[in-house]
Amino acid sequence: MSARIPSLPPDMDPAAVAREAGFTPASRPVNEHSRLLSLQSYDILDSAEEARYDDLTLLASRICGTPMALIVLIDEHRQWFKSKVGVTGSEAPRALGICAHAILDPHEVLTVPDARLDPRFATNPYVTGEPHVRFYAGAPLVSPDGHALGALCVIDSEPRQLRPEQKDALQALSRQVMALLEERRTSTALRGAMQALTRSETLFREAYENAPIGIALVSPSGEWLRVNRSLCDILGYSAEELTRTTFQAITHPEDLESDLLQVRQVLAREIRSYQMEKRYLHKAGHAVWTQLSVSLVWDKQRPLYFVSQIQDIHERKTIERAKAEFLTMVSHELRTPVTALRGALGILAAGAAGQLPPKAQALTALADRNAERLHRLVNDILDIEKIEAGGFAYRYVDLDLNQLVTQAALELKPYADHYHVQIEVSSDLPRAFLHADADRLMQVLANLLSNAVKYSRPGSKVELHVSRTDERIRVSVKDNGEGIPEEFRAQIFEKFAQANWTATNPKGGSGLGLHISRVIIEHHGGTLNFQTELGAGSTFYFELPVL
């Protein structure tokens, strides 16, 4: 027959009951706040009965020879029974509980041989009334972080003692209860993580399938492993058709080697990722221009798969091609009349039509300068067209950069004299041998020097210097101008970059020269960059590999 633990009416205050009975409730542990948080982390309160806990409660009752045993968890206001033997009810007020005393010392089993003789419990309503507690022993349930969450307790209505081996067994069982609680918390956390992972996978799958750009997982050898809907739309193949082939098989032959080179570099861990514009072969047979971004996922030292993002830029490339063709046509149409105009102006300036009045001479000089500027612009546009069409020719020879720099300064001297600027050449090297295209490097030097002269203050000098850094030769061109405004620095090498600088840049310029210069230097395996300071001028420099 089970003993009954009476419950209090909802409107009755347990503390008031304790005071009326002359019973002092247990004090709160010093770590009560963190203890309650720890208890909540197990999500165990008010859970259903479980046979695994009931088995341990039964063992405690049998080993200790008591008719009653409970697994008690103590929250802020109550003692809740996870499992019980010989007792009815599911909870009791914390203010009246004996287990509330057991959690005050997490390292000891609280043993009360006869509660009637213990001043702490003699007037407790559960001692003076049902279930008539006489003997009590409670082993605290201690979490790994040291919090006593409750107790595994055994109770008898007759006074008694526990033998040492029974106390040890009770503590061992309390540890098993705690192990079940830990397992529950781990399982709960794992279920939560799995649910979160499932939600995350669902969101990723939806984002992957509905992304506006093509996304694919590609094996290290090139097989399409998984593709999204947008990629199928771009290439015209179904997902099943793509996963039966490789990216190599549908890459335009002219773009394949460049793509494979970068694939090999990623696999060798020379680079982490790469981007390129490339053409794929559509299922219908035509080429499709795309912007490809590729990275590689590793499992420690083993490459797993490439993640490829593929954006359709076919329309943009078509517009760019039409624009380039238009500019080329206009440039070719302008070259002949511009050449004729320059020739006519030269004849007038030479006096073929007689001595011109001063005002006419000034107008002729102005027209000649503008014709020269238009001539350079036409040539730059044609160079841009050749670069983008892959027709920009290079003729590499072994050369001494010192000689080339000196020659460039001499050729630009008349231009510098016009601006009352001196070009000063210096070198740290007796010889500066390179394998390069002399004409193209001269084109770069002419552009950098003419810019430096144009932007320098009259009466100042432009410093042209050759030096060496590690395995590279550096050529720097330092002007004495006003420096480059902050807002234009990031775009200084872009095509037509100076178009946005017109209001504050009275010197003019198309902005094509620096773009072409960077392309030339990068084709030589070098870099072109600059340093600038407002009010102090700028230094443009390029570095090239030593021969």
Side-chain angles (χ1 to χ4, degrees):
M1 182 176 178
S2 297
R4 185 175 69 89
I5 297 182
S7 58
L8 298 178
D11 58 348
M12 186 173 290
D13 179 12
V17 173
R19 284 194 300 272
E20 185 177 340
F23 169 68
T24 303
S27 59
R28 302 278 169 136
V30 293
N31 62 352
E32 177 67 3
H33 179 69
S34 59
R35 189 194 72 82
L36 290 174
L37 290 176
S38 180
L39 176 61
Q40 291 169 11
S41 71
Y42 289 89
D43 193 27
I44 186 72
L45 296 174
D46 300 310
S47 59
E49 293 182 357
E50 297 179 59
R52 297 186 301 170
Y53 292 90
D54 292 341
D55 290 343
L56 293 177
T57 310
L58 181 61
L59 279 173
S61 172
R62 294 293 185 266
I63 290 171
C64 295
T66 61
M68 293 173 276
L70 303 95
I71 294 175
V72 179
L73 296 166
I74 302 173
D75 69 7
E76 187 174 5
H77 299 294
R78 60 178 178 153
Q79 297 187 140
W80 178 76
F81 310 149
K82 173 59 181 173
S83 176
K84 54 191 180 294
V85 169
V87 175
T88 61
S90 61
E91 61 183 59
R94 178 174 178 171
L96 303 181
I98 299 178
C99 287
H101 290 262
I103 66 172
L104 295 178
D105 188 349
H107 306 293
E108 293 294 332
V109 175
L110 174 63
T111 303
V112 182
D114 189 342
R116 293 172 302 178
L117 304 179
D118 192 316
R120 295 171 296 176
F121 310 114
T123 59
N124 186 296
Y126 295 143
V127 174
T128 59
E130 290 187 288
H132 302 288
V133 174
R134 297 295 179 265
F135 168 76
Y136 171 93
L141 304 175
V142 184
S143 68
D145 53 6
H147 293 104
L149 308 180
L152 170 62
C153 63
V154 290
I155 300 173
D156 200 341
S157 55
E158 299 292 336
R160 59 181 303 121
Q161 290 279 2
L162 283 185
R163 299 190 304 275
E165 61 270 21
Q166 289 176 313
K167 182 181 291 189
D168 291 342
L170 187 63
Q171 284 184 308
L173 290 173
S174 74
R175 291 192 292 270
Q176 289 304 307
V177 172
M178 202 62 235
L180 290 181
L181 291 174
E182 281 296 315
E183 181 185 327
R184 175 190 178 89
R185 182 163 67 172
T186 301
S187 298
T188 301
L190 183 60
R191 280 197 304 274
M194 290 299 295
Q195 290 170 356
L197 179 61
T198 300
R199 288 194 299 270
S200 177
E201 286 180 345
T202 301
L203 290 173
F204 173 78
R205 191 177 300 111
E206 290 177 355
Y208 176 88
E209 289 298 337
N210 297 315
I213 64 172
I215 302 177
L217 306 183
V218 182
S219 76
S221 57
E223 291 86 1
W224 300 98
L225 302 176
R226 183 172 178 177
V227 297
N228 72 344
R229 189 179 302 114
S230 291
L231 183 59
C232 295
D233 293 340
I234 292 170
L235 302 180
Y237 293 92
S238 68
E240 183 180 357
E241 288 172 327
L242 282 174
T243 53
R244 290 203 303 265
T245 187
T246 64
F247 82 84
Q248 295 95 321
I250 59 172
T251 293
H252 193 287
E254 294 179 5
D255 299 334
L256 182 57
E257 185 53 39
S258 175
D259 197 356
L260 291 176
L261 172 63
Q262 295 181 92
V263 165
R264 290 192 290 270
Q265 290 176 316
V266 172
L267 287 170
R269 291 192 164 176
E270 295 173 4
I271 58 175
R272 294 180 60 185
S273 60
Y274 69 90
Q275 293 183 345
M276 67 177 294
E277 291 183 356
K278 65 172 285 187
R279 288 162 290 179
Y280 286 101
L281 301 177
H282 193 276
K283 184 179 180 180
H286 61 274
V288 179
W289 274 104
T290 65
Q291 174 72 41
L292 173 66
S293 300
V294 178
S295 58
L296 181 59
V297 176
W298 293 83
D299 178 13
K300 296 181 180 177
Q301 298 300 315
R302 184 170 65 93
L304 296 180
Y305 53 83
F306 291 101
V307 179
S308 297
Q309 299 179 56
I310 302 164
Q311 186 173 1
D312 186 349
I313 59 170
H314 193 75
E315 183 177 351
R316 190 193 84 194
K317 296 294 285 188
T318 301
I319 294 172
E320 287 179 354
R321 186 167 59 250
K323 182 177 68 175
E325 290 172 354
F326 172 74
L327 288 173
T328 302
M329 179 194 70
V330 171
S331 299
H332 280 293
E333 291 297 324
L334 283 174
R335 173 172 276 186
T336 300
V338 167
T339 302
L341 177 61
R342 291 179 66 212
L345 290 169
I347 292 171
L348 283 174
Q355 184 67 29
L356 296 176
K359 188 172 183 179
Q361 289 180 9
L363 290 173
T364 302
L366 176 62
D368 186 56
R369 287 196 300 273
N370 284 325
E372 173 62 24
R373 182 179 174 188
L374 183 57
H375 177 72
R376 289 198 303 270
L377 177 59
V378 168
N379 285 339
D380 284 347
I381 291 174
L382 290 174
D383 281 346
I384 288 290
E385 189 275 332
K386 290 177 184 176
I387 289 170
E388 295 182 345
F392 205 53
Y394 292 88
R395 292 180 294 275
Y396 285 83
V397 296
D398 294 341
L399 57 87
D400 184 350
L401 191 56
N402 282 340
Q403 295 178 2
L404 199 67
V405 163
T406 302
Q407 180 185 346
L410 287 173
E411 292 186 5
L412 265 290
K413 186 177 184 304
Y415 184 79
D417 290 344
H418 174 75
Y419 282 91
H420 306 289
V421 172
Q422 178 186 354
I423 299 177
E424 183 180 278
V425 180
S426 62
S427 177
D428 296 341
L429 311 174
R431 294 286 186 271
F433 289 113
L434 298 174
H435 188 67
D437 185 320
D439 291 336
R440 294 304 181 197
L441 289 188
M442 183 63 79
Q443 185 177 350
V444 173
L445 287 167
N447 177 259
L448 297 182
L449 283 171
S450 62
N451 283 347
V453 166
K454 181 168 58 175
Y455 289 103
S456 289
R457 301 177 182 88
S460 64
K461 64 182 178 181
V462 167
E463 300 173 33
L464 177 56
H465 184 66
V466 180
S467 60
R468 179 162 177 166
T469 59
D470 297 327
E471 297 303 314
R472 290 176 172 255
I473 293 178
R474 171 182 285 197
V475 177
S476 57
V477 180
K478 183 179 184 302
D479 66 41
N480 281 279
E482 294 298 327
I484 301 168
E486 179 73 35
E487 61 268 27
F488 299 113
R489 294 174 188 176
Q491 61 195 44
I492 197 70
F493 291 108
E494 295 178 8
K495 288 182 288 187
F496 302 105
Q498 292 185 21
N500 295 323
W501 195 358
T502 305
T504 56
N505 179 19
K507 306 287 186 177
S510 67
L512 291 175
L514 284 176
H515 175 77
I516 294 170
S517 295
R518 171 170 272 190
V519 170
I520 291 171
I521 294 300
E522 289 180 347
H523 194 278
H524 282 76
T527 57
L528 173 61
N529 217 321
F530 71 97
Q531 297 169 342
T532 188
E533 182 180 350
L534 287 179
S538 304
T539 299
F540 281 80
Y541 61 89
F542 61 85
E543 295 181 348
L544 295 172
V546 177
L547 180 64

